[in-house]
Amino acid sequence: MSVVSVSLCVLGGVVIVCEIVRRAIPSLLSGNRRDCGIYTAEIISTVQLCACAHELKLLSEDAPEIALSLTYVVSVIHALTFRGATGNPNATLERYWCNSLDGACALRRIACQFAASVAASLAMRRTWAFGFSDLHARHERAGFTCASPIANVHLLQAVTVELACAFVVHVAVTLTRGVEEKYRVHAVAAVITTVVYAGGSTTGAVFNPALAFSAQFPCTGSTFAKNGLVYWLGPVLGMACSLLLFHKVGMAFTTKSPSHKDQNLHAVKKKKKRN
């Protein structure tokens, strides 16, 4: 339990520090620099997301059930604290394809997300180096190395799992957009936790290119090309399938036909013309 307690303290510390910085940003930026606020928010939120994911990934080695439960709690906290930031290149691409962001802004956000993912990885290594728990100390003695979960998984299977994970999460996000926020965050967090449980043993169920770059790419047992196909192409395809489902097929089925009232009005006009 001491290992779990330390991990809880680390998770809480990451969230508190990121929240303090996030609240301080508006007062530090003024005038023309206020436009930088959205990119700074992306950096902070991505650092929070990746740092917490690193700690949960490490905790899952000793207490997988507790790590899975904390995944739900942390997902809710992320949703409540991000304030418009996504921490996920997939979500940024979705906004771009839906014309909510222009191309230059989307590219800058994605660059911030990947830069923050690297910063989070370095920060967590520094944190683990203090050896606050036996788990941290063991990880430091191992040189902070990790084994890739897709080392012995067929490429197509791994891509399919990440695609399916991203698809399910984006469908859940889309379906709950009209739900009140206090209920929506729990619904999406429950879906994320379920997806992590289902696909975690195969690929780690990352479904976030920036998070994967931080947590999975440095691991041994897989090549950069395979990681790219699994953790970048897979989630992007999953998100694209979700967009296709709701913005293309869905729109085709929801196209309104003439209402009954309009049909009656048309019939009356036609009858008058005959008379």
Side-chain angles (χ1 to χ4, degrees):
M1 289 304 295
S2 60
V3 169
V4 176
S5 300
V6 170
S7 291
L8 282 172
C9 291
V10 171
L11 292 171
V14 168
V15 173
I16 291 171
V17 170
C18 289
E19 184 64 12
I20 291 173
V21 176
R22 197 159 26 226
R23 288 177 179 271
I25 288 175
S27 60
L28 296 175
L29 298 176
S30 60
N32 295 331
R33 293 187 298 170
R34 286 192 178 277
D35 292 338
C36 298
I38 58 173
Y39 304 113
T40 309
E42 274 303 342
I43 291 173
I44 296 169
S45 297
T46 307
V47 166
Q48 177 179 318
L49 173 69
C50 294
C52 290
H54 274 289
E55 186 64 29
L56 289 173
K57 180 184 175 184
L58 190 62
L59 180 62
S60 66
E61 297 178 5
D62 273 24
E65 296 84 3
I66 295 176
L68 187 65
S69 300
L70 288 176
T71 298
Y72 171 82
V73 176
V74 170
S75 297
V76 171
I77 293 173
H78 290 335
L80 293 174
T81 58
F82 277 14
R83 297 188 188 89
T86 62
N88 188 341
N90 266 8
T92 303
L93 287 175
E94 180 183 11
R95 292 183 181 182
Y96 167 69
W97 287 335
C98 293
N99 297 319
S100 298
L101 288 177
D102 62 73
C105 181
L107 285 175
R108 286 193 290 269
R109 285 197 183 203
I110 291 173
C112 289
Q113 290 160 354
F114 275 98
S117 71
V118 175
S121 179
L122 296 175
M124 291 310 294
R125 288 192 177 198
R126 290 291 185 91
T127 303
W128 293 329
F130 287 106
F132 291 127
S133 70
D134 292 339
L135 181 60
H136 291 176
R138 289 200 310 268
H139 195 43
E140 182 191 15
R141 288 194 296 270
F144 304 113
T145 58
C146 58
S148 175
I150 62 173
N152 299 313
V153 179
H154 191 274
L155 176 61
L156 183 58
Q157 180 186 1
V159 171
T160 302
V161 169
E162 284 296 308
L163 186 155
C165 290
F167 176 79
V168 170
V169 172
H170 278 83
V171 167
V173 170
T174 303
L175 289 176
T176 57
R177 275 178 183 156
V179 179
E180 192 175 349
E181 187 67 16
K182 63 181 179 180
Y183 302 119
R184 181 174 185 255
V185 295
H186 291 282
V188 175
V191 172
I192 291 174
T193 305
T194 304
V195 165
V196 170
Y197 174 76
S201 60
T202 306
T203 63
V206 185
F207 54 87
N208 180 331
L211 176 56
F213 188 67
S214 179
Q216 302 296 354
F217 275 61
C219 296
T220 60
S222 182
T223 63
F224 186 91
K226 185 176 182 180
N227 285 334
L229 289 172
V230 173
Y231 295 114
W232 289 351
L233 180 62
V236 170
L237 289 176
M239 180 268 295
C241 290
S242 174
L243 284 178
L244 181 65
L245 175 65
F246 286 98
H247 293 279
K248 301 296 182 182
V249 179
M251 286 178 65
F253 281 101
T254 56
T255 300
K256 292 184 178 180
S257 59
S259 64
H260 182 67
K261 182 179 179 180
D262 292 337
Q263 290 176 350
N264 288 340
L265 182 61
H266 179 70
V268 170
K269 289 182 178 179
K270 190 175 181 180
K271 184 176 181 181
K272 287 182 178 179
K273 286 181 179 179
R274 288 179 178 176
N275 294 334

